[in-house]
C-alpha cells in the first residue's frame, strides 16, 4: 500500500466523521497509516455526518470486504452490529455485510467457543473458517478445555483442522 501511494498517491479519500474532539476514521485506516508512515502531512478525506449506528455499519462493511480478514474477525464485526443493536436480525446483518443469511448463521458458531479458544483466535483469526467452527461447535460446548487445547495444537502446527474431532475423541477415550 505504501508503495502504491508513493507511485499514484491516495486514489480514494479516507472517510471520516466529526466527533467531539476532532474526527473519527470510518473507512481508510490502512491508507491513513500508510500515509503517516510515509510522512505525509495531510491526506484527502471525505467528511460525512453519521450517527453511531451509521458509522458502525460503514466501518463494518468497509472492513468486511477486505480479503485478509479471517472468519473470526468477520464474526466479531457481525457480533458488534448485533450487540450494539444496530442490526436486529441475521438477515439485517447479512445485508450490511453483503453475505447470505446462512453465512451469518455459520458465524454464530463462534459464540459457543470458550474464552481460551477465543483468545487463541484473537492472535490467529484465520485459524479456522465458518464451516469448521460450525462442525466443532459441539466439542467447544461439551469439552471447552479440550477444545481450547485442540486449537492451541492447531495454532502450533501440531494438529490439522480436519483431525480435531478424531483427536478430541481419542483424548476423551484415554
Amino acid at each position: 500500500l505504501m508503495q502504491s501511494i508513493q507511485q499514484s498517491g491516495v486514489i480514494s479519500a479516507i472517510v471520516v466523521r466529526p466527533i467531539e474532539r476532532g474526527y473519527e476514521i470510518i473507512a481508510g485506516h490502512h491508507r491513513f497509516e500508510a500515509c503517516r508512515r510515509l510522512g505525509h502531512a495531510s491526506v484527502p478525506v471525505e467528511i460525512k455526518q453519521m450517527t453511531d449506528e451509521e458509522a458502525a455499519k460503514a466501518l463494518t462493511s468497509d472492513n468486511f470486504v477486505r480479503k485478509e480478514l479471517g472468519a473470526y474477525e468477520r464474526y466479531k464485526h457481525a457480533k458488534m452490529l448485533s450487540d450494539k443493536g444496530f442490526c436486529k436480525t441475521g438477515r439485517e446483518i447479512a445485508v450490511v455485510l453483503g453475505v447470505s443469511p446462512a453465512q451469518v448463521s455459520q458465524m454464530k458458531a463462534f459464540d459457543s467457543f470458550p474464552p481460551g479458544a477465543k483468545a487463541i483466535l484473537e492472535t490467529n483469526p484465520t485459524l479456522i473458517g465458518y464451516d469448521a467452527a460450525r462442525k466443532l461447535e459441539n466439542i467447544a460446548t461439551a469439552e471447552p478445555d479440550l477444545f481450547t487445547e485442540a486449537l492451541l495444537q492447531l495454532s502450533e502446527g501440531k494438529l490439522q483442522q480436519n483431525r480435531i474431532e478424531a483427536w478430541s475423541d481419542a483424548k476423551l477415550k484415554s
Side-chain angles (χ1 to χ4, degrees), residues 17 24 26 50-60:
R17 75 173 180 151
E24 175 184 33
I26 303 301
M50 302 174 109
T51 65
D52 289 347
E53 180 176 346
E54 291 167 335
K57 287 180 177 179
L59 172 67
T60 299

Side-chain angles (χ1 to χ4, degrees), residues 98-159:
V99 299
S100 70
Q103 194 172 15
V104 172
S105 179
Q106 285 181 311
M107 288 178 197
K108 291 181 181 181
F110 287 110
D111 281 337
S112 64
F113 284 20
K118 287 181 179 178
I120 292 167
L121 290 170
E122 286 293 332
T123 57
N124 300 288
T126 60
L127 196 58
I128 63 171
Y130 306 124
D131 289 338
R134 179 61 96 200
K135 287 177 186 172
L136 300 171
E137 192 173 13
N138 291 338
I139 298 170
T141 303
E143 298 291 337
D145 292 338
L146 184 66
F147 180 73
T148 300
E149 183 182 345
L151 281 191
L152 183 60
Q153 295 286 320
L154 180 64
S155 72
E156 293 173 349
K158 297 176 182 175
L159 182 63

Side-chain angles (χ1 to χ4, degrees), residues 31-92:
R31 283 173 279 155
F32 178 79
E33 180 60 22
C35 288
R36 187 192 66 75
R37 289 182 184 186
L38 289 168
H40 290 203
S42 64
V43 295
V45 299
E46 179 181 345
I47 301 170
K48 289 192 171 189
Q49 297 293 329
M50 302 174 109
T51 65
D52 289 347
E53 180 176 346
E54 291 167 335
K57 287 180 177 179
L59 172 67
T60 299
S61 293
D62 183 60
N63 284 339
F64 205 82
V65 297
R66 289 184 19 231
K67 289 181 177 40
E68 69 270 11
L69 283 184
Y72 184 70
E73 291 168 308
R74 291 171 183 259
Y75 152 77
K76 289 187 344 183
H77 280 285
K79 184 165 176 47
M80 181 271 299
L81 288 172
S82 177
D83 288 353
K84 298 233 182 222
F86 299 144
C87 292
K88 308 274 190 265
T89 67
R91 187 169 299 285
E92 288 178 23

